[in-house]
Amino acid sequence: MKFTTIDLTPRIGSEIRTDRETMLDGSAAAEFRRLLEQRGVIVFREANLDDRQQVAFARTLGEVTQLGENSIFKVTLDKSVNRSAEYLKGTFFWHIDGTTDDVPNLASILSARKLSAAGGQTEFANTYAAYDDLPEPEKQYLAGLKVVHSLETSQRMINPAPTYAELKAWQRIAEKTHPLVWRHRSGRKSLVLGMTASHVEGMNLPEGRALLCRLTEWATQPQYVYRHEWRLGDLVVWDNTGTMHRVVPYPADSGRMMHRTTLVGEEALA
Ligand code: OGA
Ligand code: MN
């Protein structure tokens, strides 16, 4: 047996117990990919991989993006380390990464290098399970609806009164219209929500926003959510196409440091 698994909750999250060799040699990569898709999140407790090993592990799972230095993007609110630190406060709200791209990232691999004394837990919500549990008439109602996503919508959450220059900078990233229900190649369906969701196309604003609010409340009920309490060296992978995530707020000067490696998307949101 190369590895064993433990379900962390009934509907989302599995811990994988294995050794470093199995993580790096790719011999279980196909099974890890299957678990990732089925369980939304896979957790390797105290894997303690260094950056090179993390990227090597990521490569066993898929194609790695160039994001960050040598494919290691430093997730921190410390502006002296990451120039995008201000934007990262947006991670405090439920989101899917890359919703302004045609093909959102497949998955992200996050490892804990320094913890915050307060907050900093990461939560994941299973958007496949949330869709599956909707009543049939609701599924029919949602089919065909489209939602406009923008960076501006998400940034307004952390900076509600931007300067004109700030607003124009956000708007440089074009907004994107996506189906509310993602029909995956596998045949499974998931909800596409999160703080980048501005409004429902063709629906009056209050009605569309109320719908998005209600669905978000539905999709983030406790039975769909796994909260990861980080230990140093933990490595967590989430399926960015079938989950949303957010981090419990933590102080900007907490020192919290996570290293992220991102996998290239393999499926257009359609
Ligand atoms: C991210 C993200 C959450 C965290 O890197 O995309 O949302 O816990 N991170 O830092
Ligand atoms: Mn994120």
Side-chain angles (χ1 to χ4, degrees), residues 59-76:
R59 289 214 172 100
T60 69
L61 298 177
E63 190 187 335
V64 169
T65 70
Q66 296 296 310
L67 204 65
E69 205 173 312
N70 297 318
S71 298
I72 295 284
F73 178 81
K74 292 184 174 155
V75 178
T76 171

Side-chain angles (χ1 to χ4, degrees), residues 135-151:
E136 203 51 46
E138 173 100 50
K139 287 179 179 169
Q140 282 166 23
Y141 173 65
L142 300 183
L145 291 184
K146 289 196 161 73
V147 177
V148 177
H149 291 259
S150 71
L151 179 68

Side-chain angles (χ1 to χ4, degrees), residues 11-104:
R11 306 296 294 279
I12 177 169
S14 288
E15 182 181 339
I16 297 182
R17 297 201 172 155
T18 188
D19 51 22
R20 189 168 296 164
E21 194 187 330
T22 305
M23 290 183 77
L24 297 181
D25 68 13
S27 58
E31 288 150 287
F32 292 164
R33 273 286 298 256
R34 195 177 46 76
L35 276 164
L36 181 63
E37 205 249 339
Q38 288 300 320
R39 303 289 304 156
V41 182
I42 51 177
V43 171
F44 299 83
R45 278 282 183 203
E46 297 172 300
N48 287 306
L49 301 189
D50 64 25
D51 287 350
R52 219 169 31 80
Q53 291 169 331
Q54 175 167 323
V55 175
F57 170 64
R59 289 214 172 100
T60 69
L61 298 177
E63 190 187 335
V64 169
T65 70
Q66 296 296 310
L67 204 65
E69 205 173 312
N70 297 318
S71 298
I72 295 284
F73 178 81
K74 292 184 174 155
V75 178
T76 171
L77 298 182
D78 184 341
K79 288 190 190 103
S80 68
V81 178
N82 187 330
R83 279 182 297 121
S84 322
E86 198 56 35
Y87 280 55
L88 284 170
K89 283 190 188 148
T91 57
F92 294 174
F93 303 92
W94 287 112
H95 66 282
I96 297 170
D97 295 333
T99 50
T100 49
D101 303 331
D102 283 321
V103 184

Side-chain angles (χ1 to χ4, degrees), residues 22-253:
T22 305
M23 290 183 77
L24 297 181
D25 68 13
S27 58
E31 288 150 287
F32 292 164
R33 273 286 298 256
R34 195 177 46 76
L35 276 164
L36 181 63
E37 205 249 339
Q38 288 300 320
R39 303 289 304 156
V41 182
I42 51 177
V43 171
F44 299 83
R45 278 282 183 203
E46 297 172 300
N48 287 306
L49 301 189
D50 64 25
D51 287 350
R52 219 169 31 80
Q53 291 169 331
Q54 175 167 323
V55 175
F57 170 64
R59 289 214 172 100
T60 69
L61 298 177
E63 190 187 335
V64 169
T65 70
Q66 296 296 310
L67 204 65
E69 205 173 312
N70 297 318
S71 298
I72 295 284
F73 178 81
K74 292 184 174 155
V75 178
T76 171
L77 298 182
D78 184 341
K79 288 190 190 103
S80 68
V81 178
N82 187 330
R83 279 182 297 121
S84 322
E86 198 56 35
Y87 280 55
L88 284 170
K89 283 190 188 148
T91 57
F92 294 174
F93 303 92
W94 287 112
H95 66 282
I96 297 170
D97 295 333
T99 50
T100 49
D101 303 331
D102 283 321
V103 184
N105 305 323
L106 171 69
S108 279
I109 293 147
L110 201 63
S111 65
R113 306 307 176 97
K114 198 167 179 305
L115 301 180
S116 174
Q121 300 88 344
T122 311
E123 296 184 317
F124 302 91
N126 187 335
T127 54
Y128 282 121
Y131 176 82
D132 289 342
D133 287 357
L134 287 171
E136 203 51 46
E138 173 100 50
K139 287 179 179 169
Q140 282 166 23
Y141 173 65
L142 300 183
L145 291 184
K146 289 196 161 73
V147 177
V148 177
H149 291 259
S150 71
L151 179 68
E152 176 184 343
T153 306
S154 62
Q155 289 307 306
R156 277 189 185 280
M157 306 278 281
I158 51 176
N159 182 4
T163 63
Y164 182 67
E166 284 169 334
L167 183 67
K168 293 305 276 183
W170 299 339
Q171 291 181 346
R172 248 179 261 140
I173 307 288
E175 56 183 32
K176 204 102 217 167
T177 304
H178 294 300
L180 176 52
V181 177
W182 188 341
R183 303 157 68 92
H184 299 258
R185 281 187 309 219
S186 63
R188 298 176 79 199
K189 293 177 186 169
S190 65
L191 292 170
V192 181
L193 299 164
M195 61 158 186
T196 54
S198 164
H199 59 277
V200 180
E201 198 178 64
M203 196 180 276
N204 79 60
L205 220 45
E207 197 185 331
R209 291 204 166 139
L211 174 64
L212 294 172
C213 181
R214 180 169 62 77
L215 289 174
T216 302
E217 202 167 84
W218 170 268
T220 57
Q221 293 177 90
Q223 67 267 34
Y224 306 128
V225 174
Y226 167 65
R227 172 187 279 212
H228 188 71
E229 300 276 352
W230 290 95
R231 285 186 221 142
L232 220 52
D234 282 357
L235 183 144
V236 170
V237 189
W238 69 87
D239 173 359
N240 187 57
T241 73
T243 60
M244 294 193 277
H245 59 284
R246 70 173 177 184
V247 57
V248 174
Y250 55 95
D253 63 358

